Each structure stands twice: as C-alpha cells, then as structure tokens.
Amino acid sequence: MRRLFSLAAVIDFALLAASLTAVSAQPVRPVITIKTEHVGMTLAVGADGRLYQAGFGPAESSFRVPGGSPAREVEAYPPYGNGQITEPSLKVIHTDGNTSTDLLYVSHRAVESEEGRVETRIELRDGHYPLRVTLCFRAYSSEDVIEQWIEIQHQEEKPIVLERFGSSSPVFQASGYWLTQLEGNYMREAHLVEERLTPGIKVLDSKLGIRAHQMRNPSFILAIDEPAREESGAVFGASLAWSGSFQFAFDVDWNNRLRAVCGINPLGASYRLDPRTVFHTPSMLWTFSSQGGKGGVTRNFHSWARKYGIRDGSAPRPILLNNWEATYFDFDEAKIVSLFDGARDLGIELFLLDDGWFGNKHPRDNDRAGLGDWQVNEKKLPRGLGYLAAEAEKRGIRFGIWIEPEMVNPASELFEKHPDWVITQAHREPLYGRNQMILDLTRPEVQTHVRKVIDDTFGPNPGIRYTKWDCNRYVTQPGSSYLSPERQENLLVDYQWALYDAMKYMAERYPGVISMVCSGGSGRVDYGALKYFHGFWPSDNTDPVQRVFIQWGFSHFFPAAAISAHVTDMGRRPAKFAVDVALSGAFGIDRDVSKMSAEEKKTVIAGARLYKERLRPLVLGGDLYRLQSPYERPQAALSYVSPDRTRAVVFIYRLGEEAFPPVKPRGLDPAKKYRVREINLPEGARSRLSINDQVVDGATLMEHGFAAPLRRAVESAVIELTEEGAQ
Ligand code: DGJ
C-alpha cells in the first residue's frame, strides 16, 4: 500500500497553471525535506515563488530556512536566464527563440512505498511558458541514499530545445571541498585522484557517447572542510546512473559556495523535445557520511546496491572460468570441451565462452570480421551452442557466452545488407574503433534486430545460463541516418534509453541468465546499466598487482558482488597472490588448465574451495572496510565483516619491500572474542602471523592490530576472524 503524507502544499497543477504569475498570492511557503535515517536535504520556497535549497547534509540538522527571497545562487534547480548568473542546470530554447527559463514552485507531494522508500515530486513551472519541470527524489532510508532525477515536459506549439538538463545540482557551503574522481584508461581503470576545488569550474566528464566510462567513471567523492579520510570526516559520495557521456560541473562561487551540476553531458546533445512528451534525466545517487569518511559512503552504496542497484544483489555469484585470456579467438569445439574438463577439476561452476564463436561467411577469427552475424561458426563449433552447454552440464558446470549485440564489422553479412544502420556522419571518412561500427539503436529496425539477436541466442538454447555483454568502441562520429537533420543531437540520449530497453528486455525475458556488463574492460560501469546485470568486468588488466588498485578504486561505489576478479597469469605473479586478490571480489579464473603447473593448479583449487566453503557469502555480502591504502604505502589491506559481526576476513597484499605498521581491522564487535587464523596457506606452510590461532577480543584487535605475516613484495595473506563459539 502506498501512503500519501506530508502534503504541505499539494495543489492541483492544472488549477494552478493559469495563475502562476501571481505567486505572491500563495498562502504558504512550503519547506520540503528529503530525508533518510542520517542524510537530509531541505528545500524551501522563497517569497518570490522560486525553489531554494536550504541545506544538504546530516538529517538531524535543521537547516536555517532563509526568510524572504534567498540569493539566486542557491536556487534548487537553476535555469539559465532571467537573472540567474550561476552555472545552470537547465537551459531551454523556447519555440519563439527565447533562451531564458524561470521556474516557480507549484506543488509537491511525497509518497511512501511499502518498503519504506519515500518518493517526493516537486512541480515547478515557468512563469510564462507552458513548461513543467518536476524534481523527483527517492529516499532510501536505512541505506542513506537519495536518488534524484528530473522530468521535463511542455505544451508549447512546437518542439523546444533542451540545451542543458542536469539530473541534480545541490549546493554546498563549507570552508573547503576536496574532490576525488576515478580516472584512467583501458588497462588502467578506476584510479583515485583527489584535489582541492578552487574558485571557478572544474569539469569531470565523458564525451565518448558509449563505452563512455573508459577514461572516467561517473562517480565521485566530495569531502567537506578537509581531504577525504577513510573512516572519519564528512564525505558525500555520488554516482550517475547513466552509461553515456556525462558531465559533473563543480562551480565554486565568490561566496565559496559549491554547486555541483551533475547529469548527461550536454555537449552534442541539445535535445529537441516534442510537446507533451516527458524527458527523463537519468538518476543521480547521493549518499553522505557525516563522520564515517569514504568508508561510510562506500558501505551505504554497497548496501543500497545489493538491495536496489544490481540484479539479484544478494545472490551468490558463480565461480567462472572465462576462456578469453586462455585462447583468445583461437579455439574449436574440442578445445572448448577440453577446457570444461580442466574447469571441473579446478572447482569451477560456470564456463564462459568469450568472443569468437560466431560468423560463417565472415568468420570471427579475429577482431576484423563477423560482428553482427550471430550464427554459430560451423567450422569451429559444428554441433552448436546446445551441444557445448550439454557437454558442460555433463561435467556439472553451467555454460555461458559473450555477445556484443550493438556492433557490426563492415566485414559482415549484416553490414552488407544494412550499411545504413550504423552511427556515422555524411561527408566524412568512416572512423572505426577495433574495426567495428556502432548500430544506431534509435532506428526501430535496429532495436528489433538486437532483440532478435537476444532471442535467437538464448531462446533455443536454455542451456546458456550466463552472458557477458560487451561494447568495444566509443562514438567518434555522432550521426544518424534515421533521425531528421534537426534531431541529430537527440542521438546520444535516445541511444542510451534504447540500449536500456534492450538490456531490460534481456533481463526480463531470460531471468535465469546471469549477466556481466563489459565494455572493453569497464567502459560501462554505472548504476544505469547495473540494474540489468549481476556484475561487471573491471579491466582487461588482470595483473593482480594492478588489480589491487583497480578493484580498490571501484570498491568505493560498487560492492564485491559486482566486481569480477579473475585469476590469470598476467604479470607472472605468484599464483597465491593472484588467487588472494581474486578472492576479494566475484572470484573467477581465465586460464587454460592444461597449461598450468601442478603447483598453480593446487593453489587455484584450494582458493576455489575456500571461496565456496567459507568466503563467498562474507565477501559478497559483508561490510567492506579498507584498512591500508595502496596509494599511501605499497601494501594494501581490506576486510569484509559479516552483518552480525561474528566473522570477518582480512586480505593483505604486499606490493613493496618495506615493512609496514600493523594492520588494524575495523567494524568488529569490541566485546566479541575472535579466533584469528591465517587461511589459504600453501599446503604444509606454517603461518607467520604472530597471533595465529589465538583468541583475541575485537577491541584489542581494532586497537593494536597485527603485523602482516609477509616478508617481501607480491606476497599476500588471508586472515579469518571467527567469533569463538560461532561457526
Ligand atoms: C573486451 C573485453 O574486455 C575482454 O574481456 C574480451 O571479452 C574481449 N573484449 C573480447 O573481444
């Protein structure tokens, strides 16, 4: 049952529409609070009828609601023009060419869902034009996450043009602001960079259209008054649920106020909006920890994500073996079946057949041909996918495959038939990325094609239980032969929504197919896509030393259940180190077992067994505490603590030769007594942990910690803490 409450000023929009210019006639000046257990945002209507932000921060603070009409710099959703001089969230070109918009409060309402989420909708309307802008909020109380998006519609005679349309643009007032982003590139993803914001605008963005997050994830940390600390200090965390180009503009003004305008990148995306059509922005997700630092923000995001943000967030993830790094394109049926045998011996639960299984006229034997022709390659796999799935099943493992349905190689039957289906621009030499082109998903025939690829692949093959949806290039010539000349800039926005429709189609039609989102590594990691996926592929860089950093970066916003972490031989690191790094995420392997030494096999088998028997629920469902940052010293330590605090696991990775201060676990129950045990030791090896097999109370462990039982670089340890008496 949905319940309506706190109707401070619910006024019927239609009734009010005619009299909007007479704002001073409104009897009340509502104050609207969006609140979770610990986070709150207060908005208030000024004497001028505009909506202002009074505060954003701890739920318990009652922000001073300004009297009269506050400074325009704190308008809640600042539109361009008519007196507004700060960075705008909205810019509209009206049908008559007027470039200004002035938004006035109309009404608001809040509805509580059964699960305790409160959705608040605040209606604003232009003082002259029939343009309605709805600020929408969803407050997730116990996870302390506030989701915000905007809905825009109008009744002008002809289409209007939206030149700016932020999803969220809160204002902050503090002595200083420190911004942390996740930047990088292919093979070097999600590296943390922190800087102090100074007056003027700092922009973090992507202009890549799709595979849009190759160089930067659409998430950030904003620390208030001092640089972000791990477990203390006031820190906001934010993430845009959008897989396309994004823009975050951080504008520190002359009063040292910060406005963060966050949303789709408006560059090349001026959107022509028809009358009576609702334009939805993607959601911006905010959380705040008033004293818990980055760790608090992380744990809020993780518990939100497991419940709402990723598919089947609390279900265990199977242990995968992916053949990509084991074979690349070079395989046939016998080879794949032989990999199944090895996979079974290692304790693998699911085999994922990567790129290269399709295309006949243009066989997919390399990345120059075949994309678009999703028929099984008869030469490589004469008995088809059903046969492979059955063979895998016989060995007690599930089977999955790779797809990249939005793409086409010019060397393909699909392109021969439909050269006009691709995104490109007239009068320019076509530009390829990895020899491929992007299918224009705004075109209805392409939407039908992608659905058909999904149906033809999964429909006749119920044995396919997993898929990896890849995307290996970005947009460099944003043009559509389907859209009219004046709607060319609708392309990138409409593409994304059509893409989500296709992803949703797959998730709803084939709910039993577990799926991973991939984009040449992590070019598409965000909560817009993750709704339809169980996890993502963080990087093609699987060198475990690099993975310590990459997984560390992503862990700020995404839970371990979503972060695929596979053992490979990249970097030629010790097998135990590679296994221990992978054990801290959604564990898997990318190896040809026949090429592994007996020692390596033993190590991987032991790791897989440990994961299944003891670690999986703890890593995937526990609270993450990052204990020692590899950015501060060449040693990383992190731990997962079970929600009831009876168990914890600490992972320690030594990256350099120096010895370091003790590792101090966090999040334990100070009063509980824990047996401390180093696990995943090589057969016959003795632990160097000074308190191995001892029982120590949580308070002592957290205060004094223990020395990492590691002597040199590229060594690792896994330490299990179990409440004495608990299982
Ligand atoms: C890029 C992905 O990141 C890889 O893991 C692999 O799936 C290749 N694409 C296949 O083409």
Side-chain angles (χ1 to χ4, degrees):
M1 238 259 291
R2 283 158 78 88
R3 170 158 77 82
L4 220 61
F5 79 108
S6 122
L7 298 180
V10 176
I11 303 167
D12 181 68
F13 174 70
L15 283 179
L16 199 77
S19 62
L20 265 168
T21 39
V23 281
S24 54
Q26 283 198 46
V28 277
R29 295 207 359 236
V31 174
I32 305 158
T33 307
I34 319 293
K35 216 176 194 163
T36 68
E37 259 172 48
H38 304 102
V39 188
M41 180 187 272
T42 303
L43 303 150
V45 179
D48 59 1
R50 297 187 178 99
L51 185 72
Y52 294 92
Q53 185 195 296
F56 184 18
E60 61 278 13
S61 38
S62 42
F63 297 108
R64 197 180 61 81
V65 175
S69 294
R72 294 289 299 275
E73 296 93 82
V74 295
E75 216 176 322
Y77 192 68
Y80 175 80
N82 206 28
Q84 179 57 266
I85 56 167
T86 57
E87 189 61 16
S89 298
L90 180 72
K91 179 162 187 263
V92 178
I93 303 187
H94 298 278
T95 324
D96 62 3
N98 192 328
T99 58
S100 70
T101 295
D102 200 355
L103 294 176
L104 302 169
Y105 169 84
V106 178
S107 67
H108 75 278
R109 64 177 63 221
V111 179
E112 186 175 347
S113 75
E114 234 174 286
E115 304 85 44
R117 280 172 287 161
V118 178
E119 193 169 312
T120 305
R121 296 174 64 87
I122 309 173
E123 303 280 355
L124 309 178
R125 198 187 149 108
D126 186 87
H128 173 79
Y129 293 93
L131 169 76
R132 179 159 61 176
V133 174
T134 310
L135 312 194
C136 309
F137 299 87
R138 197 172 284 135
Y140 299 85
S141 189
S142 42
E143 295 78 19
D144 281 325
V145 168
I146 293 179
E147 175 181 358
Q148 185 184 0
W149 72 99
I150 307 292
E151 293 173 10
I152 303 169
Q153 59 179 307
H154 71 97
Q155 293 182 22
E156 298 192 24
E157 272 166 24
K158 291 196 207 130
I160 60 171
V161 179
L162 304 178
E163 291 204 321
R164 287 257 179 161
F165 34 82
S167 295
S168 174
S169 50
V171 183
F172 306 84
Q173 179 80 70
S175 61
Y177 312 96
W178 277 259
L179 174 68
T180 304
Q181 57 166 310
L182 298 186
E183 69 85 38
N185 196 354
Y186 178 64
M187 300 291 279
R188 192 183 65 77
E189 293 89 340
H191 280 245
L192 297 167
V193 175
E194 184 176 46
E195 68 197 296
R196 186 177 186 163
L197 293 173
T198 54
I201 296 191
K202 165 88 191 178
V203 171
L204 299 182
D205 75 351
S206 154
K207 300 181 182 71
L208 306 180
I210 71 168
R211 196 186 178 178
H213 311 150
Q214 180 174 332
M215 287 89 167
R216 181 167 293 109
N217 189 265
S219 310
F220 62 85
I221 299 267
L222 184 67
I224 299 300
D225 292 333
E226 57 184 354
R229 280 179 281 133
E230 188 57 42
E231 291 293 340
S232 59
V235 171
F236 286 88
S239 196
L240 183 70
W242 186 244
S243 311
S245 302
F246 66 91
Q247 188 187 79
F248 302 146
F250 301 89
D251 185 9
V252 178
D253 74 11
W254 49 95
N255 287 311
N256 203 40
R257 280 194 201 102
L258 167 66
R259 156 102 54 196
V261 182
C262 307
I264 294 174
N265 193 336
L267 179 72
S270 290
Y271 196 91
R272 246 182 132 72
L273 181 67
D274 287 324
R276 284 169 283 279
T277 306
V278 183
F279 180 90
H280 293 255
T281 72
S283 287
M284 188 72 191
L285 299 154
W286 289 94
T287 188
F288 174 65
S289 180
S290 61
Q291 283 153 31
K294 291 187 276 188
V297 156
T298 288
R299 289 183 288 279
N300 290 350
F301 264 118
H302 289 188
S303 48
W304 175 85
R306 285 192 291 256
K307 220 158 150 194
Y308 305 105
I310 56 177
R311 251 179 90 189
D312 303 332
S314 11
R317 274 37 182 164
I319 301 182
L320 282 196
L321 187 141
N322 182 351
N323 69 308
W324 180 242
E325 284 188 43
T327 65
Y328 296 103
F329 294 103
D330 185 18
F331 59 81
D332 59 15
E333 194 176 89
K335 175 76 198 169
I336 296 299
V337 173
S338 78
L339 290 178
F340 294 163
D341 288 325
R344 181 202 44 207
D345 297 344
L346 292 184
I348 296 309
E349 295 163 321
L350 199 146
F351 181 93
L352 169 64
L353 176 60
D354 213 285
D355 197 354
W357 58 265
F358 49 89
N360 285 301
K361 182 173 172 198
H362 301 278
R364 181 76 173 162
D365 291 333
N366 51 53
D367 64 15
R368 293 187 298 279
L371 274 180
D373 299 348
W374 297 99
Q375 304 82 32
V376 177
N377 180 297
E378 284 159 12
K379 212 161 130 218
K380 281 185 188 171
L381 306 174
R383 281 173 281 190
L385 297 173
Y387 169 79
L388 287 180
E391 286 301 304
E393 195 110 344
K394 271 190 209 159
R395 293 156 176 87
I397 47 185
R398 287 176 276 167
F399 179 72
I401 53 160
W402 177 98
I403 52 171
E404 192 176 8
E406 307 149 72
M407 297 288 167
V408 64
N409 283 122
S412 68
E413 291 183 75
L414 185 70
F415 188 79
E416 284 163 4
K417 268 194 237 136
H418 302 291
D420 54 333
W421 277 13
V422 295
I423 290 182
T424 190
Q425 282 167 326
H427 317 302
R428 308 282 172 218
E429 268 307 299
L431 295 173
Y432 305 105
R434 206 195 191 202
N435 311 301
Q436 64 197 53
M437 302 193 82
I438 305 160
L439 293 172
D440 177 2
L441 266 170
T442 63
R443 185 182 272 279
E445 305 93 285
V446 170
Q447 295 167 5
T448 308
H449 160 80
V450 170
R451 284 188 164 80
K452 190 163 167 349
V453 169
I454 293 168
D455 283 334
D456 290 352
T457 308
F458 301 108
N461 294 304
I464 299 178
R465 311 283 293 281
Y466 191 99
T467 191
K468 175 182 185 184
W469 181 317
D470 207 343
C471 163
N472 280 291
R473 71 158 290 181
Y474 45 77
V475 180
T476 45
Q477 293 170 319
S480 162
S481 63
Y482 171 72
L483 296 173
S484 64
E486 59 284 353
R487 280 173 204 260
Q488 286 296 301
E489 292 213 359
N490 285 20
L491 172 65
L492 295 181
V493 171
D494 287 349
Y495 182 99
Q496 276 313 319
W497 291 119
L499 174 69
Y500 289 148
D501 281 350
M503 290 171 165
K504 185 162 183 262
Y505 180 82
M506 188 181 76
E508 286 177 354
R509 206 148 162 116
Y510 303 98
V513 177
I514 304 173
S515 44
M516 173 203 279
V517 64
C518 173
S519 184
S522 51
R524 195 176 258 174
V525 173
D526 61 86
Y527 284 117
L530 278 170
K531 270 206 253 332
Y532 310 112
F533 293 88
H534 296 77
F536 63 88
W537 183 239
S539 181
D540 278 0
N541 191 338
T542 51
D543 172 351
V545 168
Q546 299 308 318
R547 274 302 186 105
V548 167
F549 289 90
I550 294 170
Q551 293 168 199
W552 188 270
F554 281 121
S555 79
H556 285 73
F557 300 94
F558 305 99
I563 304 180
S564 306
H566 291 191
V567 178
T568 72
D569 61 352
M570 198 179 279
R572 309 262 173 236
R573 312 294 183 182
K576 172 170 162 57
F577 188 85
V579 167
D580 286 354
V581 172
L583 284 174
S584 70
F587 183 75
I589 293 157
D590 278 27
R591 292 291 309 266
D592 176 345
V593 182
S594 67
K595 296 192 180 135
M596 289 164 74
S597 70
E599 213 38 51
E600 281 177 307
K601 262 197 244 169
K602 237 198 246 166
T603 310
V604 173
I605 289 170
R609 191 182 313 125
L610 181 69
Y611 195 70
K612 281 195 254 184
E613 289 173 1
R614 301 197 64 78
L615 292 184
R616 180 157 44 190
L618 191 53
V619 170
L620 303 187
D623 291 331
L624 172 65
Y625 290 85
R626 286 177 297 258
L627 308 174
Q628 286 186 351
S629 165
Y631 286 84
E632 282 164 19
R633 51 175 72 99
Q635 176 164 300
L638 57 109
S639 77
Y640 296 94
V641 181
S642 65
D644 63 2
R645 300 198 280 175
T646 56
R647 291 187 64 214
V649 59
V650 181
F651 294 95
I652 312 172
Y653 309 116
R654 185 149 165 180
L655 308 171
E657 296 301 334
E658 307 94 296
F660 293 108
V663 175
K664 295 183 180 170
R666 293 205 191 95
L668 304 177
D669 182 339
K672 282 195 188 346
K673 293 195 179 313
Y674 295 91
R675 181 166 295 276
V676 183
R677 253 186 327 196
E678 180 171 1
I679 55 176
N680 209 26
L681 279 162
E683 212 177 63
R686 282 194 44 221
S687 172
R688 295 199 163 74
L689 182 68
S690 57
I691 52 170
N692 195 38
D693 218 17
Q694 291 181 19
V695 176
V696 186
D697 59 80
T700 308
L701 279 168
M702 290 193 285
E703 195 184 338
H704 301 291
F706 47 80
L710 308 173
R711 287 170 309 169
R712 57 180 73 94
V714 218
E715 282 188 349
S716 54
V718 184
I719 318 278
E720 189 183 41
L721 312 179
T722 316
E723 187 190 4
E724 202 48 358
Q727 273 310 294

